[in-house]
Amino acid sequence: MLLFFFIGGVFLSYVSSYFPFLSFLLIGVFLLFLLKNKNFLAISFLIFGFIYPFLRADSQPEDIHDTIRADVIFLSSEPSLSSDFKYRVKIRKCSPEPCPSEVRLYFDKYIEPGTEAEVFMKLKLKNYGLVPGIYARPYCKAIPIEIKIKKVSKDIRWTVEKQREKLNDLFERIFNEKAAGLSKALITGAKDVDPDLRESFRKTGLSHLLTISGTHFGLLFFLFFRITKRIISFLPYRVFHRLTTEVSINFISVIIVVPFLTWYFVISGMDIPAFRAFIMAILFVSGLMIERRYYWLAGLLIAATIILIIEPYSFSDLSFLLSFSAVFFIGLWFRQFKKEHDSTEGILKKRLIVPFINTFFISLSATLGTLPLILYFFHYLPLTGILSNILITPLVCFVLLPLLLFFSFFYLLTGHLILKDLLEGIINFVIKIVELFASFKYSEITVLPFPVVVLLALYFFLILFLLLNRLRYFYLAFFIIIILFLTIRTDRTPQITFLDVGQGDSTVIELPDGRTVVIDTGKSGIETSAYLRYRGKRTIDVLILTHPHPDHTGGLRLLKENFKIKEIWDNGFLLYPEDLRDIPRRALKRGDYISARGYSFYVLHPYQGFYTSGDRYSYENNTSLVLKAIINGVSVLFTGDIEREAEADILYLGEILNSDILKIPHHGSRYSTYKNFFELISPEFAIISAGARNPYGHPHREVLNSLKDSNVFITSSTGTIKILLKGNLYVKLYKDFRLVETRSLLVEISNIKNLFRTF
């Protein structure tokens, strides 16, 4: 119980950044209650839990210098698109300080794991724009200027890391691409699973199998525990009696199994999410195996405490929330229902029916326990999720994973391959079953965003259903009704969303007929992908690429991997890689006109015969597609990166340029500041897409002066900007919908309001 107060203190410390007055009020209430009961030990745990995260606070990424000289150790490597290798490195010391906590170093030469080196490197903070649906943390991208190798460590950790690389190479060599990706995901924790296969796992609610999690460790523990217990029971009576005189057979089995699970954790790469899952599963399942009613809860609290001591702000990490909720609800099921099924009479029923029922309810409870988080963060309901988890998860964790582990261990030990054909057959069978489930037309239902309070309500009713006998099914009915309401909601409001993609461009248009148009992708496509999923989109009806610069087209490949793109429109000057040429393409020019009920698009630029006096870069900017969209009577002008030359060239179009909303060209550059152009358009709203602290000084003062009669919004200061196109134009700024760290009561009240609304 004391650990509960420590965890509660850490949680209140975390939320105090956003709700300081409410948090201190709750701390005061708890302290008064504990003082009244003279529970001074609990008070000390609560207070220590509250102050501990402040003692562990790291430097902010924004404080990091552009270049540093550092002593580093290379942890692991993986292939990279921009370089031959991407390394995770740990910085031991650096000059000048502070040292970045998470660094990914890109280098074109192979360096062994465990190599210690002095590196002079250039750092760039890789942050994500303020876009709903983005939950990743910022990190530092490092490009080495000079590397001096000091030594290569030979200790056991780096030997294991080399073994991981050896297994990855083996899987790629002996299996097809999909089978190799799945094998690496299950054994070494590699992330390079075939995109189509990853999407199939996502649709069927099996994404957790592609990330080493509590499911893997928990079910492996359960399997190995049962096998070990059965083997011990066959020992000679004298040996068996001596072993079990002091301790139970369950305890002995746990002690024997833990080293096997530890080896799996080590070979999987020992990432933080895997560590969380390992600790949580080991302690939780050990509690279950000891067969004391609340030992599983004690194990779970110990695991959570260990994790929070290592990473105090794990409450903000989605993998922690998913792992914790899954094992917590499995534990609640064991507490509430297991005895009913274990009382089944008859050996045949106990050996055949009870294991099946247990497997079913383990899958069901884990699915229900994580379902609210999946709905909230991933915006879809996997309709085949329960069935696929019941059929495929045991097949993977009870059959495929143990065989792969044995295969890998034997290969590393002897250098010989065994069971290769059997493994390949099982892997391909699993892939076919997953793809079959994913091929069902209604394998998933998209879910629109909903407020945090709805997420809390779902968990409230689910916990009451599992804990209380009275009115149990009344609470279950409320849980189901909320989910049904979330899945049947629709939003056909026409809207334009200008995404904060840093120093780049990307816009999402949701049209009156339900179609989705994306204009440009940003540099990486990460923000665009995240927002489309946030809105429950799986298809891009039209992707418009204004010109070939990477800050507008760099995310094309990622969008293709994650969405069905029906058609691409461009200016006719883009060249596509071989793997992107299968998407239907339409080259637009001035005079083209596309319309449907409620909206139309006019192409105003470029035209055949247009020339510019600048260099190639300026030419590509000046030949950007310029489109005017009229949606529900609202006119919007999209201008790409055109500069003054192109602006002056299209001025003669006259009043047709006049628009309610103007997407300012070239991120607000002074080279795109033609005052007559802005005066002719005379927009009510002007949108500038520019990166925070960008090195170009965008937007420039000249641009802002030219727009003094318009309402100007800049993504670098407001985050993503949404304009609802119904009646009077209504603007939403994402910064107004986010929880903000504060010490102000007024801002805290705004944070509380944001718990009840969505962007």
Side-chain angles (χ1 to χ4, degrees):
M1 198 63 181
L2 292 175
L3 295 181
F4 172 79
F5 288 103
F6 172 79
I7 294 170
V10 175
F11 175 74
L12 288 173
S13 176
Y14 170 70
V15 300
S16 68
S17 300
Y18 309 99
F19 309 101
F21 295 94
L22 184 60
S23 299
F24 281 102
L25 177 63
L26 289 174
I27 283 281
V29 170
F30 280 125
L31 290 177
L32 287 174
F33 173 78
L34 294 172
L35 282 171
K36 184 179 178 181
N37 292 277
K38 298 182 179 180
N39 195 339
F40 299 108
L41 195 57
I43 290 173
S44 63
F45 270 73
L46 179 67
I47 293 176
F48 178 67
F50 186 79
I51 65 175
Y52 179 72
F54 295 105
L55 301 176
R56 285 288 310 276
D58 294 326
S59 60
Q60 296 300 312
E62 290 80 2
D63 299 332
I64 305 302
H65 296 271
D66 293 337
T67 56
I68 62 171
R69 188 173 294 276
D71 288 338
V72 308
I73 185 165
F74 286 79
L75 303 179
S76 63
S77 66
E78 59 184 87
S80 167
L81 291 176
S82 58
S83 178
D84 289 338
F85 296 99
K86 178 172 68 175
Y87 295 93
R88 286 193 306 114
V89 298
K90 179 180 180 181
I91 294 183
R92 292 179 164 175
K93 63 179 181 178
C94 71
S95 177
E97 293 185 331
C99 302
S101 57
E102 184 173 355
V103 177
R104 300 175 195 174
L105 187 147
Y106 294 77
F107 194 45
D108 59 0
K109 293 183 176 62
Y110 174 74
I111 297 178
E112 287 187 23
T115 299
E116 297 179 25
E118 180 183 327
V119 183
F120 181 51
M121 65 182 80
K122 183 177 182 180
L123 294 177
K124 183 177 182 181
L125 177 64
K126 298 295 288 184
N127 211 338
Y128 301 100
L130 296 183
V131 176
I134 291 269
Y135 307 109
R137 296 178 180 178
Y139 66 93
C140 283
K141 178 180 179 180
I143 304 297
I145 300 172
E146 179 185 353
I147 294 182
K148 293 181 180 178
I149 303 296
K150 290 185 174 180
K151 66 176 182 176
V152 180
S153 177
K154 301 296 183 182
D155 65 33
I156 185 66
R157 177 179 179 181
W158 309 118
T159 301
V160 171
E161 192 62 44
K162 292 168 190 174
Q163 289 179 341
R164 291 182 68 242
E165 294 183 353
K166 188 176 180 180
L167 286 176
N168 286 334
D169 292 339
L170 173 68
F171 293 142
E172 289 178 358
R173 192 171 69 249
I174 66 174
F175 294 143
N176 61 56
E177 184 178 357
K178 288 185 178 181
L182 180 57
S183 301
K184 289 189 289 183
L186 290 173
I187 299 300
T188 65
K191 309 294 189 217
D192 53 340
V193 178
D194 177 81
D196 292 335
L197 182 60
R198 184 178 293 278
E199 179 67 8
S200 295
F201 271 81
R202 186 196 64 78
K203 281 185 175 182
T204 51
L206 295 167
S207 292
H208 60 92
L209 293 179
L210 299 180
T211 301
I212 294 174
S213 65
T215 303
H216 301 73
F217 291 113
L219 294 183
L220 270 180
F221 192 120
F222 181 80
L223 175 66
F224 290 164
F225 175 86
R226 293 295 185 190
I227 293 173
T228 305
K229 188 175 178 182
R230 181 58 59 89
I231 292 172
I232 293 174
S233 67
F234 284 117
L235 291 173
Y237 176 76
R238 182 176 296 178
V239 177
F240 179 83
H241 179 71
R242 183 174 295 178
L243 280 174
T244 57
T245 299
E246 300 295 334
V247 293
S248 69
I249 186 174
N250 285 350
F251 183 79
I252 296 171
S253 300
V254 168
I255 295 300
I256 293 174
V257 168
V258 166
F260 290 100
L261 272 293
T262 303
W263 179 79
Y264 178 41
F265 166 63
V266 170
I267 205 69
S268 71
M270 298 184 290
D271 287 338
I272 291 298
F275 173 75
R276 292 194 194 101
F278 172 72
I279 293 294
M280 201 170 288
I282 291 293
L283 294 177
F284 169 76
V285 181
S286 297
L288 288 180
M289 296 302 109
I290 293 171
E291 295 181 350
R292 297 292 180 88
R293 190 173 186 186
Y294 291 105
Y295 273 32
W296 68 268
L297 183 58
L300 185 59
L301 291 177
I302 293 171
T305 300
I306 293 172
I307 291 166
L308 291 172
I309 288 174
I310 296 171
E311 277 196 298
Y313 289 110
S314 291
F315 282 114
S316 63
D317 194 293
L318 184 55
S319 67
F320 172 80
L321 296 176
L322 288 169
S323 295
F324 189 88
S325 60
V327 296
F328 177 72
F329 281 95
I330 290 173
L332 285 183
W333 172 80
F334 267 89
R335 171 191 176 275
Q336 194 69 21
F337 298 110
K338 189 174 186 296
K339 286 187 178 180
E340 300 176 13
H341 302 127
D342 286 352
S343 63
T344 304
E345 296 181 356
I347 296 177
L348 183 63
K349 289 183 178 180
K350 283 189 175 182
R351 290 188 176 181
L352 295 180
I353 297 177
V354 171
F356 175 79
I357 292 175
N358 285 341
T359 301
F360 172 80
F361 276 99
I362 286 174
S363 297
L364 178 62
S365 55
T367 301
L368 290 178
T370 56
L371 183 59
L373 290 171
I374 290 172
L375 295 176
Y376 183 80
F377 287 102
F378 301 112
H379 308 286
Y380 77 100
L381 173 66
L383 291 183
T384 59
I386 294 177
L387 181 59
S388 61
N389 271 284
I390 291 171
L391 296 177
I392 299 171
T393 299
L395 176 60
V396 170
C397 292
F398 288 154
V399 179
L400 177 58
L401 181 54
L403 286 175
L404 270 173
L405 282 172
F406 178 72
F407 170 82
S408 302
F409 183 78
F410 191 84
Y411 173 74
L412 293 175
L413 197 63
T414 68
H416 296 291
L417 303 178
I418 59 170
L419 305 175
K420 173 186 173 297
D421 294 335
L422 174 63
L423 271 175
E424 191 168 18
I426 295 174
I427 295 171
N428 290 328
F429 176 73
V430 168
I431 291 172
K432 286 180 180 178
I433 294 295
V434 171
E435 291 177 337
L436 176 64
F437 275 99
S439 67
F440 296 155
K441 185 176 181 181
Y442 298 106
S443 61
E444 64 169 348
I445 296 177
T446 57
V447 176
L448 290 172
F450 56 89
V452 173
V453 292
V454 177
L455 174 67
L456 298 177
L458 284 170
Y459 275 116
F460 175 75
F461 288 119
L462 187 57
I463 291 172
L464 289 180
F465 163 68
L466 289 171
L467 284 180
L468 303 180
N469 292 322
R470 189 179 179 185
L471 299 177
R472 168 179 293 167
Y473 295 103
F474 173 79
Y475 301 126
L476 179 62
F478 264 98
F479 178 80
I480 294 173
I481 288 170
I482 293 174
I483 288 180
L484 287 175
F485 171 74
L486 293 175
T487 56
I488 64 175
R489 284 190 313 153
T490 58
D491 183 8
R492 284 296 187 91
T493 304
Q495 52 196 271
I496 299 179
T497 307
F498 301 90
L499 302 178
D500 176 16
V501 295
Q503 191 63 17
D505 259 335
S506 187
T507 304
V508 175
I509 306 173
E510 298 176 53
L511 295 166
D513 59 3
R515 294 183 182 181
T516 301
V517 175
V518 175
I519 301 180
D520 290 331
T521 68
K523 289 182 180 179
S524 66
I526 292 174
E527 290 89 354
T528 310
S529 295
Y531 182 74
L532 289 170
R533 291 207 180 279
Y534 175 79
R535 290 293 299 165
K537 306 295 182 182
R538 297 291 179 263
T539 299
I540 299 172
D541 293 282
V542 178
L543 174 61
I544 301 174
L545 301 176
T546 58
H547 65 294
H549 289 167
D551 58 330
H552 291 250
T553 63
L556 174 57
R557 181 170 277 102
L558 183 66
L559 291 184
K560 182 180 183 294
E561 290 176 355
N562 288 282
F563 302 90
K564 178 183 179 182
I565 302 175
K566 291 185 176 180
E567 190 175 7
I568 291 178
W569 297 352
D570 61 29
N571 61 3
F573 301 113
L574 273 71
L575 298 176
Y576 297 88
E578 186 68 33
D579 60 327
L580 297 176
R581 293 177 188 172
D582 56 335
I583 306 173
R585 175 190 166 207
R586 179 174 180 178
L588 302 179
K589 61 182 183 301
R590 178 181 290 177
D592 287 342
Y593 169 70
I594 303 100
S595 69
R597 186 173 181 179
Y599 61 90
S600 55
F601 288 90
Y602 300 85
V603 182
L604 307 182
H605 188 75
Y607 58 89
Q608 190 172 2
F610 172 77
Y611 297 100
T612 178
S613 59
D615 56 17
R616 181 176 178 81
Y617 179 80
S618 293
Y619 174 78
E620 290 173 339
N621 279 338
N622 276 309
T623 53
S624 295
L625 270 178
V626 177
L627 300 168
K628 181 173 182 177
I630 300 179
I631 306 168
N632 271 12
V634 178
S635 54
V636 190
L637 189 64
F638 299 96
T639 56
D641 274 359
I642 60 171
E643 299 177 358
R644 292 180 187 176
E645 221 173 334
E647 292 171 2
D649 184 80
I650 62 176
L651 263 182
Y652 82 92
L653 294 174
E655 292 299 321
I656 194 173
L657 293 175
N658 185 266
S659 301
D660 300 307
I661 303 168
L662 170 64
K663 164 60 185 57
I664 298 298
H666 206 186
H667 321 290
S669 166
R670 66 165 59 94
Y671 300 110
S672 299
T673 310
Y674 192 61
K675 189 174 181 181
N676 293 344
F677 180 71
F678 291 153
E679 289 178 348
L680 181 60
I681 297 170
S682 185
E684 180 180 354
F685 297 108
I687 311 297
I688 301 176
S689 179
R693 298 178 298 277
N694 69 81
Y696 312 103
H698 296 162
H700 286 124
R701 178 56 54 188
E702 298 93 320
V703 175
L704 298 177
N705 289 338
S706 299
L707 296 167
K708 59 185 178 182
D709 295 327
S710 301
N711 297 299
V712 180
F713 300 100
I714 310 168
T715 58
S716 59
S717 57
T718 66
T720 294
I721 303 159
K722 177 184 289 186
I723 303 179
L724 303 180
L725 309 177
K726 57 176 185 179
N728 295 328
L729 298 182
Y730 178 60
V731 180
K732 285 184 172 184
L733 307 178
Y734 184 50
K735 74 177 183 66
D736 296 334
F737 288 78
R738 297 176 68 245
L739 297 182
V740 178
E741 294 186 6
T742 183
R743 291 291 178 264
S744 164
L745 179 60
L746 290 177
V747 178
E748 180 174 352
I749 292 172
S750 176
N751 283 342
I752 294 172
K753 289 180 181 178
N754 285 337
L755 297 177
F756 293 83
R757 60 180 190 160
T758 58
F759 178 67

